[in-house]
């Protein structure tokens, strides 16, 4: 799994444990998801290219390194992916945000697209596709298909999820093997309803207080 990165930083793991807890309410869940997304974004952007510029300090001129003008797009898969956007934008405030609406047919577990709005210059941007749960992987595979169909470049796409199931990772490796995947944990399995076990339940319901 060379393209799969498990971010095991202690702060992320601590906050993930609280997110998993069934007693954690929507307010705290939203705040923690925001914080974990920010922390994970540090790792997702670790290899962002830099360039040297000259800066004059109060004492003298020196050479510093800054981000080399690379554009970023954050694309949440609706609806739970919305909870990860704020944390990333607090780190990369100039990023543009696209939205992909995909729901999972409860009978077949296959993805159905109902909305897709991406930045017009998606082909010029590094794209971070976010969804808290990479379960079957069908929705993520479909989302990346939509991005590629609209001009996104495969080598510029990364996936960021809190928790992945082995089945979802295998699905991604089959359909988009070049895409890097960043997660905080890889759980045991999917159950017969397509939920990650042990997981944290339905991320969208817990995020928005719905059932």
């Amino acid at each position: 799994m060379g393209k799969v990165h498990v971010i095991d930083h202690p702060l992320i793991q601590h906050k993930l444990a609280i997110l998993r807890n069934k007693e954690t309410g929507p307010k705290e869940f939203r705040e923690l998801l925001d914080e974990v997304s920010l922390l994970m974004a540090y790792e997702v952007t670790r290899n962002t290219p830099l360039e040297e510029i000259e800066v004059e300090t109060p004492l003298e001129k020196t050479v510093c390194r800054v981000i080399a003008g690379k554009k970023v797009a954050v694309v949440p898969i609706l609806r739970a992916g919305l909870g990860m956007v704020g944390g990333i934008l607090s780190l990369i405030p100039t990023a543009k945000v696209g939205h992909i609406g995909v729901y999972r047919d409860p009978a077949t577990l296959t993805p159905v697209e109902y909305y897709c709005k991406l930045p017009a210059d998606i082909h010029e941007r590094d794209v971070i596709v976010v969804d808290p749960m990479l379960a079957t992987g069908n929705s993520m595979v479909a989302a990346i298909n939509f991005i590629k169909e609209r001009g996104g470049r495969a080598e510029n796409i990364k996936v960021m999820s809190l928790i992945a199931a082995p089945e979802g990772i295998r699905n991604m490796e089959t359909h988009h093997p070049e895409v890097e995947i960043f997660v905080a944990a890889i759980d045991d399995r999917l159950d017969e309803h397509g939920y990650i076990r042990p997981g944290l339940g339905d991320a969208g319901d817990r995020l928005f207080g719905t059932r």
Side-chain angles (χ1 to χ4, degrees), residues 7-203:
I7 305 173
D8 58 358
H9 190 284
L11 287 176
I12 292 175
Q13 294 303 311
H14 175 81
K15 293 174 187 294
L16 178 59
I18 303 172
L19 285 165
R20 288 187 190 270
N21 191 326
K22 67 178 183 179
E23 302 301 328
T24 300
K27 179 180 182 294
E28 189 177 8
F29 192 94
R30 285 192 295 270
E31 292 170 349
L32 285 164
L33 183 56
D34 189 77
E35 293 168 5
V36 171
S37 299
L38 186 153
L39 293 170
M40 291 184 69
Y42 277 102
E43 291 300 319
V44 175
T45 58
R46 176 175 291 277
N47 295 321
T48 300
L50 299 172
E51 62 184 0
E52 292 185 344
I53 64 167
E54 187 176 82
V55 171
E56 188 165 355
T57 77
L59 301 177
E60 61 181 82
K61 290 182 179 179
T62 188
V63 174
C64 298
R65 297 191 298 166
V66 298
I67 292 174
K70 198 68 177 177
K71 300 175 180 178
V72 174
V74 181
V75 181
I77 298 178
L78 304 178
R79 62 187 166 132
L82 290 173
M84 303 180 73
V85 174
I88 300 173
L89 290 182
S90 64
L91 191 67
I92 316 170
T94 58
K96 288 187 176 179
V97 180
H99 297 86
I100 292 178
V102 180
Y103 70 87
R104 186 172 61 179
D105 185 291
T108 64
L109 303 184
T110 57
V112 180
E113 176 193 0
Y114 64 88
Y115 186 78
C116 184
K117 181 73 171 180
L118 300 173
D121 60 349
I122 194 74
H123 60 286
E124 299 177 2
R125 295 182 174 270
D126 284 343
V127 181
I128 305 173
V129 188
V130 296
D131 194 357
M133 314 300 283
L134 181 62
T136 64
N138 290 336
S139 294
M140 187 61 73
V141 167
I144 294 174
N145 285 339
F146 302 150
I147 293 169
K148 288 181 177 180
E149 289 165 4
R150 290 159 175 81
R153 293 180 293 167
E155 66 273 16
N156 288 14
I157 301 172
K158 295 178 181 178
V159 166
M160 188 172 106
S161 295
L162 282 187
I163 299 173
E167 294 90 337
I169 291 174
R170 287 195 294 269
N171 198 359
M172 281 291 298
E173 289 174 336
T174 297
H175 292 91
H176 300 293
E178 74 290 343
V179 172
E180 288 188 275
I181 302 170
F182 294 81
V183 298
I186 300 174
D187 277 9
D188 297 337
R189 60 184 174 86
L190 292 179
D191 65 18
E192 63 275 15
H193 303 293
Y195 282 97
I196 301 175
R197 294 298 188 103
L200 51 72
D202 187 299

